[in-house]
Amino acid sequence: MRITVIGCGYLGAVHAACMTELGHDVVGIDVDEAKIAGLAAAAPPFFEPGLPELLERTLATGRLRFTTDMGEAYGSDVHFIAVGTPQQPGQLAADLRYVHAAVTALAPQLRPGDVVAGKSTVPVGTARSIAERLATEAPGALVAWNPEFLREGFAIDDTLHPDRLVYGVPAEPDEAERVTAVLDEVYATPAAEGTPVVVTGLETAELVKSAANAFLATKISFINAMAEVCEAAGADVTQLADAIGHDPRIGRRFLNAGLGFGGGCLPKDIRAFMARAGELGADQALTFLREVDQINMRRRARAIDLVRDELGGSVLGRRIAVLGLAFKPDSDDVRDSPALNVAAQLSLQGAAVLCHDPRAIEGARHRFPELTYVDTIDEAVRDADAVLVLTEWRDYRDLDPTWLAAQVAQPVVVDGRNCLDADAWRAAGWRYRALGRPREARVPALA
Ligand code: NAD
């Protein structure tokens, strides 16, 4: 098939390369000239494991091109919309201006029967409003919503081997049939591997994505709420999570207490979901998401409390090593990153903060130029009064606490992700603090 992907960020660039890998002929379009130049040279301006290699391979086939010229969309059978939908400044709702700008630019290139397939995460009702617009701006073009569930860090595998495909299709049976057939052809390879395909109406498909993110955010905030209670009661949330996670109805995944969620999706998506529910008159249904958001934000403050507590009540003038800035490991994404937020707050409270991250320094420097960034873990920890591990990169999980203890001014560690071996660190002489765990080990770890 000939495919357009509009918006070549974390989602769109991966989607374009993966669609080429599946055998299609793909044009990736973005308004950002530098991004397009980088992608065309197999040098994406963001980190996603395996993406440079995949781009190199797929560009070499001659079936993948990147351009800023929307005219190149003409002739594609399906046009994926993968532009950003950030939070509106000062509001909870999503900013749809990029989606609408993309549709405006695309409309003159559409032929009757072309499928415009949204992948961006949008408030329910967006697809229908696009379909209404296109009915006059591009008669005969069809709108589908095909939400994306990829995880940064695993984006290629998640796109080539998704755990499900959701097609939101128009209500009119002929149109639904055409859209389903086109998407079936796009995803013939994963479908042949047995990937379940769920065909729904447009609104349900949009809501599937919002609901999935709301559930994941709630699961994380649930265990972080348990962490708060554990802190008050002197219990250990990691043991609690292991124990409740053995129940298959609960499951252990996404039950890691710590600094909470961040990134370019979950925070803004749950807020946009609340805002949209309000517009629809269903705001009561989602008031719990406000609590989910608040629990999440409280964890950042609590991490800072732990540092202050260990440093005698103030961080003023203290030297603090922050290990990890990305919102999660294997990503350079610092959008709404809890780690970066904690680093910035400590700096504002007068600490000398030395920040390290294997991939995210450039993005972090762009957002918070006033922080100090160093290239090696050694530089970050040298003579530190406290070491904070805020993103669970393998480099940090594998640190040797005995070696590290010899580098710092005092052996204080705050494990913001519950990713270190507390017993090993304590045995190496560290004062180990973590969210949701007692100051001292009180009970033996579960076998
Ligand atoms: P991003 O900011 O990395 O990329 C968005 C891209 O769209 C940018 O390159 C921007 O230049 C481009 N763009 C903006 N306006 C344009 C226009 N009019 N025409 C062409 N290009 C335009 O964002 P992202 O992380 O890739 O997310 C994109 C969408 O996918 C969002 O709705 C997001 O919620 C959703 N999503 C993201 C992920 C993820 O892990 N990043 C996962 C699932 C869904």
Side-chain angles (χ1 to χ4, degrees), residues 10-12 14-15 19 80-82 118-121 145-151 154-160 162-166 187 205 208-210 212-213 265 269:
Y10 285 92
L11 162 55
V14 171
H15 194 68
M19 292 303 104
F80 286 106
I81 306 241
K119 291 206 82 63
S120 301
T121 304
W145 219 262
N146 173 219
E148 180 57 58
F149 304 99
L150 67 79
R151 298 159 300 165
F154 305 91
I156 294 170
D157 204 46
D158 285 351
T159 306
L160 292 174
D163 46 21
R164 80 288 213 190
L165 289 160
V166 176
Y187 296 117
V208 167
K209 177 65 188 176
S210 304
N213 276 353
C265 290
D269 287 348

Side-chain angles (χ1 to χ4, degrees), residues 9-11 30 35 83-85 120-121 148 152 265 268 335:
Y10 285 92
L11 162 55
D30 201 290
K35 193 171 276 190
V83 299
T85 49
S120 301
T121 304
E148 180 57 58
E152 287 174 22
C265 290
K268 61 112 175 146
R335 290 179 288 187

Side-chain angles (χ1 to χ4, degrees), residues 190-207:
E193 286 173 359
T195 303
V197 177
V198 182
V199 182
T200 72
L202 295 172
E203 286 78 8
T204 305
E206 293 167 315
L207 277 174

